[in-house]
Amino acid sequence: MTPRSALNRTLLALAGLILLGGGLLILFAGFDVYRRHDLGPPAGWPLTAPDDVLLGSADRARWSGQGWWWWPAVIAALAIAALLALWWLLTQLSRRRPGALPVGGRPPLEGVELRDRALSDAIAAEAGALPEVRHAAVRITGRPARPRARVGLTLTPHGAPGATLGALCDGPLRTAHRSTGLPDMPTEVRLKVARHPPHRTE
């Protein structure tokens, strides 16, 4: 899990818990759960019965008497929150694949690019031909200037993970570095061993 995905999942979990908790508290008040089941509402929570409102007349009068700046401040805070939420949504929808990679190192060769799918297919084909590898899948992520590779290998039941990892680094990954001229391409490798076929006894 990358730091970005961990942060996204943490923010989504917190937002979900807050929305779930607020929704349950409102439902409890709407269905009069506190009175029917003799439960105590959270301290300071204004909605405890079906007829309660979030802001009473006294609260509205008190906040309205703070001065002319109060409502512009509330509107500005809501606008900032909406813009931050929109920015976060757009970053999630943005493409996480680099598309085209520069070739030739730094500075890259002008007008020469390599599609990320072509590079991932080439690495997967060479990795799939390694000894004791049954299947290989490669995905290129990140930015064009700093691509990252995610490699998934399925080994045969008798495959040696250490030897396979060394062959992957010395073979397909080194070839990818020479082909692109990139000085560094962080790679995440996940190894999985295929199950033994069932044995029959007669």
Side-chain angles (χ1 to χ4, degrees):
M1 183 185 301
T2 62
R4 179 178 179 180
S5 63
L7 177 62
N8 290 338
R9 293 182 183 183
T10 302
L11 292 177
L12 285 176
L14 290 176
L17 289 175
I18 292 174
L19 292 176
L20 177 62
L24 289 176
L25 290 177
I26 294 174
L27 286 177
F28 283 0
F31 290 103
D32 204 11
V33 174
Y34 298 114
R35 183 184 61 82
R36 292 180 179 179
H37 298 280
D38 196 21
L39 299 175
W45 182 248
L47 303 179
T48 59
D51 297 332
D52 289 340
V53 294
L54 188 60
L55 285 177
S57 300
D59 293 329
R60 291 196 300 270
R62 179 165 59 89
W63 291 116
S64 298
Q66 296 296 322
W68 64 268
W69 57 269
W70 172 247
W71 287 113
V74 172
I75 294 174
L78 293 176
I80 292 175
L83 289 176
L84 289 176
L86 180 61
W87 168 79
W88 180 80
L89 178 62
L90 292 177
T91 57
Q92 303 310 306
L93 296 178
S94 62
R95 185 171 61 178
R96 298 185 179 182
R97 300 185 59 174
L101 302 174
V103 178
R106 295 182 180 177
L109 297 176
E110 185 177 357
V112 180
E113 293 181 339
L114 175 64
R115 300 298 300 178
D116 59 346
R117 189 174 299 276
L119 179 61
S120 62
D121 290 344
I123 297 176
E126 191 173 351
L130 293 175
E132 307 298 339
V133 174
R134 179 170 295 180
H135 177 71
V138 180
R139 179 178 175 85
I140 306 297
T141 62
R143 296 174 300 172
R146 292 194 54 85
R148 302 175 62 91
R150 294 182 179 179
V151 181
L153 298 180
T154 302
L155 307 183
T156 62
H158 303 288
T164 303
L165 185 60
L168 176 69
C169 295
D170 295 336
L173 295 183
R174 180 170 295 179
T175 302
H177 280 284
R178 288 200 305 263
S179 300
T180 59
L182 294 173
D184 183 30
M185 185 170 64
T187 303
E188 175 186 347
V189 182
R190 295 187 179 184
L191 301 178
K192 182 173 63 174
V193 179
R195 296 182 178 180
H196 287 272
H199 298 283
R200 293 184 179 180
T201 59
E202 298 181 358

PDB file of all heavy atoms in Angstrom, residues 58-72:
ATOM      1  N   ALA A  58     -33.411  31.038  20.004  1.00  0.00           N
ATOM      2  CA  ALA A  58     -32.426  31.744  20.827  1.00  0.00           C
ATOM      3  C   ALA A  58     -31.035  31.649  20.206  1.00  0.00           C
ATOM      4  O   ALA A  58     -30.275  32.629  20.182  1.00  0.00           O
ATOM      5  CB  ALA A  58     -32.411  31.171  22.245  1.00  0.00           C
ATOM      6  N   ASP A  59     -30.689  30.472  19.688  1.00  0.00           N
ATOM      7  CA  ASP A  59     -29.373  30.315  19.060  1.00  0.00           C
ATOM      8  C   ASP A  59     -29.252  31.170  17.809  1.00  0.00           C
ATOM      9  O   ASP A  59     -28.215  31.799  17.563  1.00  0.00           O
ATOM     10  CB  ASP A  59     -29.140  28.848  18.717  1.00  0.00           C
ATOM     11  CG  ASP A  59     -29.011  27.984  19.958  1.00  0.00           C
ATOM     12  OD1 ASP A  59     -28.523  28.496  20.981  1.00  0.00           O
ATOM     13  OD2 ASP A  59     -29.403  26.799  19.898  1.00  0.00           O
ATOM     14  N   ARG A  60     -30.320  31.185  16.981  1.00  0.00           N
ATOM     15  CA  ARG A  60     -30.263  31.998  15.765  1.00  0.00           C
ATOM     16  C   ARG A  60     -30.142  33.476  16.096  1.00  0.00           C
ATOM     17  O   ARG A  60     -29.388  34.212  15.438  1.00  0.00           O
ATOM     18  CB  ARG A  60     -31.518  31.749  14.932  1.00  0.00           C
ATOM     19  CG  ARG A  60     -31.575  30.355  14.330  1.00  0.00           C
ATOM     20  CD  ARG A  60     -32.607  30.293  13.216  1.00  0.00           C
ATOM     21  NE  ARG A  60     -33.942  30.629  13.692  1.00  0.00           N
ATOM     22  CZ  ARG A  60     -34.808  29.744  14.167  1.00  0.00           C
ATOM     23  NH1 ARG A  60     -34.472  28.450  14.215  1.00  0.00           N
ATOM     24  NH2 ARG A  60     -36.010  30.118  14.576  1.00  0.00           N
ATOM     25  N   ALA A  61     -30.848  33.923  17.126  1.00  0.00           N
ATOM     26  CA  ALA A  61     -30.746  35.328  17.518  1.00  0.00           C
ATOM     27  C   ALA A  61     -29.359  35.657  18.061  1.00  0.00           C
ATOM     28  O   ALA A  61     -28.804  36.728  17.781  1.00  0.00           O
ATOM     29  CB  ALA A  61     -31.820  35.661  18.555  1.00  0.00           C
ATOM     30  N   ARG A  62     -28.789  34.718  18.820  1.00  0.00           N
ATOM     31  CA  ARG A  62     -27.467  34.967  19.391  1.00  0.00           C
ATOM     32  C   ARG A  62     -26.406  35.053  18.311  1.00  0.00           C
ATOM     33  O   ARG A  62     -25.556  35.942  18.318  1.00  0.00           O
ATOM     34  CB  ARG A  62     -27.115  33.845  20.373  1.00  0.00           C
ATOM     35  CG  ARG A  62     -25.732  33.994  21.008  1.00  0.00           C
ATOM     36  CD  ARG A  62     -25.621  33.077  22.220  1.00  0.00           C
ATOM     37  NE  ARG A  62     -25.829  31.693  21.840  1.00  0.00           N
ATOM     38  CZ  ARG A  62     -24.839  30.868  21.444  1.00  0.00           C
ATOM     39  NH1 ARG A  62     -23.607  31.333  21.364  1.00  0.00           N
ATOM     40  NH2 ARG A  62     -25.091  29.618  21.136  1.00  0.00           N
ATOM     41  N   TRP A  63     -26.442  34.130  17.336  1.00  0.00           N
ATOM     42  CA  TRP A  63     -25.453  34.184  16.274  1.00  0.00           C
ATOM     43  C   TRP A  63     -25.678  35.360  15.330  1.00  0.00           C
ATOM     44  O   TRP A  63     -24.724  35.945  14.823  1.00  0.00           O
ATOM     45  CB  TRP A  63     -25.471  32.887  15.469  1.00  0.00           C
ATOM     46  CG  TRP A  63     -24.958  31.701  16.238  1.00  0.00           C
ATOM     47  CD1 TRP A  63     -25.637  30.595  16.602  1.00  0.00           C
ATOM     48  CD2 TRP A  63     -23.633  31.528  16.757  1.00  0.00           C
ATOM     49  NE1 TRP A  63     -24.859  29.735  17.306  1.00  0.00           N
ATOM     50  CE2 TRP A  63     -23.595  30.282  17.413  1.00  0.00           C
ATOM     51  CE3 TRP A  63     -22.485  32.309  16.730  1.00  0.00           C
ATOM     52  CZ2 TRP A  63     -22.464  29.803  18.040  1.00  0.00           C
ATOM     53  CZ3 TRP A  63     -21.341  31.828  17.357  1.00  0.00           C
ATOM     54  CH2 TRP A  63     -21.339  30.587  18.002  1.00  0.00           C
ATOM     55  N   SER A  64     -26.936  35.730  15.106  1.00  0.00           N
ATOM     56  CA  SER A  64     -27.205  36.876  14.238  1.00  0.00           C
ATOM     57  C   SER A  64     -26.740  38.173  14.865  1.00  0.00           C
ATOM     58  O   SER A  64     -26.436  39.147  14.166  1.00  0.00           O
ATOM     59  CB  SER A  64     -28.708  36.961  13.926  1.00  0.00           C
ATOM     60  OG  SER A  64     -29.131  35.795  13.235  1.00  0.00           O
ATOM     61  N   GLY A  65     -26.674  38.229  16.196  1.00  0.00           N
ATOM     62  CA  GLY A  65     -26.244  39.445  16.874  1.00  0.00           C
ATOM     63  C   GLY A  65     -24.746  39.607  16.962  1.00  0.00           C
ATOM     64  O   GLY A  65     -24.272  40.570  17.571  1.00  0.00           O
ATOM     65  N   GLN A  66     -23.969  38.685  16.381  1.00  0.00           N
ATOM     66  CA  GLN A  66     -22.515  38.790  16.449  1.00  0.00           C
ATOM     67  C   GLN A  66     -21.963  39.889  15.541  1.00  0.00           C
ATOM     68  O   GLN A  66     -20.832  40.313  15.718  1.00  0.00           O
ATOM     69  CB  GLN A  66     -21.882  37.445  16.064  1.00  0.00           C
ATOM     70  CG  GLN A  66     -22.211  36.306  17.008  1.00  0.00           C
ATOM     71  CD  GLN A  66     -21.646  36.540  18.397  1.00  0.00           C
ATOM     72  OE1 GLN A  66     -20.545  37.065  18.544  1.00  0.00           O
ATOM     73  NE2 GLN A  66     -22.407  36.168  19.413  1.00  0.00           N
ATOM     74  N   GLY A  67     -22.742  40.348  14.576  1.00  0.00           N
ATOM     75  CA  GLY A  67     -22.260  41.383  13.672  1.00  0.00           C
ATOM     76  C   GLY A  67     -22.395  40.959  12.221  1.00  0.00           C
ATOM     77  O   GLY A  67     -22.744  39.824  11.899  1.00  0.00           O
ATOM     78  N   TRP A  68     -22.091  41.882  11.327  1.00  0.00           N
ATOM     79  CA  TRP A  68     -22.276  41.633   9.905  1.00  0.00           C
ATOM     80  C   TRP A  68     -21.301  40.600   9.360  1.00  0.00           C
ATOM     81  O   TRP A  68     -21.556  39.964   8.342  1.00  0.00           O
ATOM     82  CB  TRP A  68     -22.076  42.935   9.132  1.00  0.00           C
ATOM     83  CG  TRP A  68     -20.680  43.471   9.245  1.00  0.00           C
ATOM     84  CD1 TRP A  68     -20.219  44.348  10.163  1.00  0.00           C
ATOM     85  CD2 TRP A  68     -19.573  43.130   8.405  1.00  0.00           C
ATOM     86  NE1 TRP A  68     -18.893  44.589   9.987  1.00  0.00           N
ATOM     87  CE2 TRP A  68     -18.464  43.857   8.893  1.00  0.00           C
ATOM     88  CE3 TRP A  68     -19.394  42.301   7.304  1.00  0.00           C
ATOM     89  CZ2 TRP A  68     -17.200  43.769   8.330  1.00  0.00           C
ATOM     90  CZ3 TRP A  68     -18.140  42.207   6.733  1.00  0.00           C
ATOM     91  CH2 TRP A  68     -17.059  42.937   7.243  1.00  0.00           C
ATOM     92  N   TRP A  69     -20.146  40.385  10.033  1.00  0.00           N
ATOM     93  CA  TRP A  69     -19.112  39.515   9.522  1.00  0.00           C
ATOM     94  C   TRP A  69     -19.443  38.036   9.698  1.00  0.00           C
ATOM     95  O   TRP A  69     -18.781  37.181   9.109  1.00  0.00           O
ATOM     96  CB  TRP A  69     -17.789  39.810  10.242  1.00  0.00           C
ATOM     97  CG  TRP A  69     -17.906  39.658  11.745  1.00  0.00           C
ATOM     98  CD1 TRP A  69     -18.232  40.617  12.635  1.00  0.00           C
ATOM     99  CD2 TRP A  69     -17.722  38.453  12.487  1.00  0.00           C
ATOM    100  NE1 TRP A  69     -18.264  40.110  13.907  1.00  0.00           N
ATOM    101  CE2 TRP A  69     -17.948  38.785  13.842  1.00  0.00           C
ATOM    102  CE3 TRP A  69     -17.385  37.143  12.148  1.00  0.00           C
ATOM    103  CZ2 TRP A  69     -17.858  37.826  14.857  1.00  0.00           C
ATOM    104  CZ3 TRP A  69     -17.296  36.206  13.170  1.00  0.00           C
ATOM    105  CH2 TRP A  69     -17.529  36.544  14.502  1.00  0.00           C
ATOM    106  N   TRP A  70     -20.457  37.733  10.504  1.00  0.00           N
ATOM    107  CA  TRP A  70     -20.699  36.339  10.863  1.00  0.00           C
ATOM    108  C   TRP A  70     -21.099  35.497   9.649  1.00  0.00           C
ATOM    109  O   TRP A  70     -20.508  34.462   9.372  1.00  0.00           O
ATOM    110  CB  TRP A  70     -21.750  36.262  11.951  1.00  0.00           C
ATOM    111  CG  TRP A  70     -22.190  34.857  12.244  1.00  0.00           C
ATOM    112  CD1 TRP A  70     -23.393  34.306  12.024  1.00  0.00           C
ATOM    113  CD2 TRP A  70     -21.381  33.805  12.797  1.00  0.00           C
ATOM    114  NE1 TRP A  70     -23.423  32.999  12.388  1.00  0.00           N
ATOM    115  CE2 TRP A  70     -22.179  32.657  12.870  1.00  0.00           C
ATOM    116  CE3 TRP A  70     -20.055  33.721  13.205  1.00  0.00           C
ATOM    117  CZ2 TRP A  70     -21.713  31.444  13.360  1.00  0.00           C
ATOM    118  CZ3 TRP A  70     -19.581  32.510  13.692  1.00  0.00           C
ATOM    119  CH2 TRP A  70     -20.408  31.404  13.761  1.00  0.00           C
ATOM    120  N   TRP A  71     -22.112  35.975   8.893  1.00  0.00           N
ATOM    121  CA  TRP A  71     -22.569  35.182   7.748  1.00  0.00           C
ATOM    122  C   TRP A  71     -21.538  35.097   6.635  1.00  0.00           C
ATOM    123  O   TRP A  71     -21.347  34.028   6.043  1.00  0.00           O
ATOM    124  CB  TRP A  71     -23.894  35.735   7.231  1.00  0.00           C
ATOM    125  CG  TRP A  71     -25.036  35.430   8.154  1.00  0.00           C
ATOM    126  CD1 TRP A  71     -25.759  36.305   8.891  1.00  0.00           C
ATOM    127  CD2 TRP A  71     -25.551  34.134   8.465  1.00  0.00           C
ATOM    128  NE1 TRP A  71     -26.702  35.655   9.653  1.00  0.00           N
ATOM    129  CE2 TRP A  71     -26.602  34.309   9.404  1.00  0.00           C
ATOM    130  CE3 TRP A  71     -25.231  32.840   8.057  1.00  0.00           C
ATOM    131  CZ2 TRP A  71     -27.320  33.254   9.922  1.00  0.00           C
ATOM    132  CZ3 TRP A  71     -25.950  31.781   8.576  1.00  0.00           C
ATOM    133  CH2 TRP A  71     -26.990  31.996   9.493  1.00  0.00           C
ATOM    134  N   PRO A  72     -20.809  36.185   6.298  1.00  0.00           N
ATOM    135  CA  PRO A  72     -19.721  36.024   5.317  1.00  0.00           C
ATOM    136  C   PRO A  72     -18.656  35.021   5.764  1.00  0.00           C
ATOM    137  O   PRO A  72     -18.105  34.289   4.933  1.00  0.00           O
ATOM    138  CB  PRO A  72     -19.142  37.442   5.185  1.00  0.00           C
ATOM    139  CG  PRO A  72     -20.289  38.324   5.523  1.00  0.00           C
ATOM    140  CD  PRO A  72     -21.054  37.609   6.588  1.00  0.00           C
TER     141      PRO A  72
END
